[in-house]
Amino acid sequence: MTNLITIRRWMMLLLFSFFVSSITLAQTDSASGRTSGDKSMRLGNFSVSLTVKDIARSREFYEKLGFHVILGDQKKNWLILQNETSTIGLFQGMFNKNTMTFNPWLGQISQNVTGL
């Protein structure tokens, strides 16, 4: 029963992450890559930071959903994964609960990793 609740929580957070990403994409000007509204300001990316009990199993789960590691160190119990425009962080033993994280630098990192 506990595993089912945990899986449901992960899926809800994942869906929320996709929802937030779709809103961001809908407000992006394709010619300039900037968001609508103030054309001179780009806030960066948001991600969901998940508190996990087993980072290896969590990584395996999200990789099956198409995510790939862009940053982190599994030996130090943290990873940042991305699937197109959705980003999640996996943290074992670092936080008490899941949280939404603002990452102004993340777009720059993911572009550099993708461009390798």
Side-chain angles (χ1 to χ4, degrees):
M1 184 69 174
T2 303
N3 288 337
L4 183 59
I5 292 170
T6 302
I7 290 171
R8 284 183 182 168
R9 285 181 184 165
W10 284 12
M11 293 307 293
M12 291 302 292
L13 286 169
L14 182 62
L15 288 173
F16 180 74
S17 177
F18 283 123
F19 174 73
V20 169
S21 296
S22 67
I23 290 171
T24 303
L25 285 176
Q27 297 175 349
T28 301
D29 178 352
S30 60
S32 67
R34 295 181 178 157
T35 57
S36 61
D38 184 355
K39 298 288 185 182
S40 64
M41 184 176 201
R42 294 194 69 182
L43 292 177
N45 295 305
F46 288 88
S47 65
V48 178
S49 296
L50 302 173
T51 300
V52 299
K53 291 183 181 181
D54 185 335
I55 198 163
R57 287 184 63 199
S58 298
R59 177 182 183 171
E60 181 182 339
F61 172 80
Y62 282 102
E63 285 178 339
K64 287 180 182 178
L65 295 176
F67 284 83
H68 62 278
V69 175
I70 62 167
L71 281 173
D73 187 344
Q74 188 167 328
K75 292 177 185 176
K76 293 182 180 178
N77 293 329
W78 73 280
L79 294 169
I80 307 295
L81 293 90
Q82 197 166 50
N83 180 351
E84 296 185 21
T85 60
S86 298
T87 305
I88 58 172
L90 304 177
F91 299 91
Q92 182 177 331
M94 292 186 182
F95 304 120
N96 293 330
K97 60 183 180 177
N98 300 330
T99 186
M100 185 69 94
T101 308
F102 174 61
N103 307 293
W105 48 267
L106 192 57
Q108 190 82 16
I109 297 287
S110 61
Q111 289 172 3
N112 291 343
V113 171
T114 305
L116 293 178

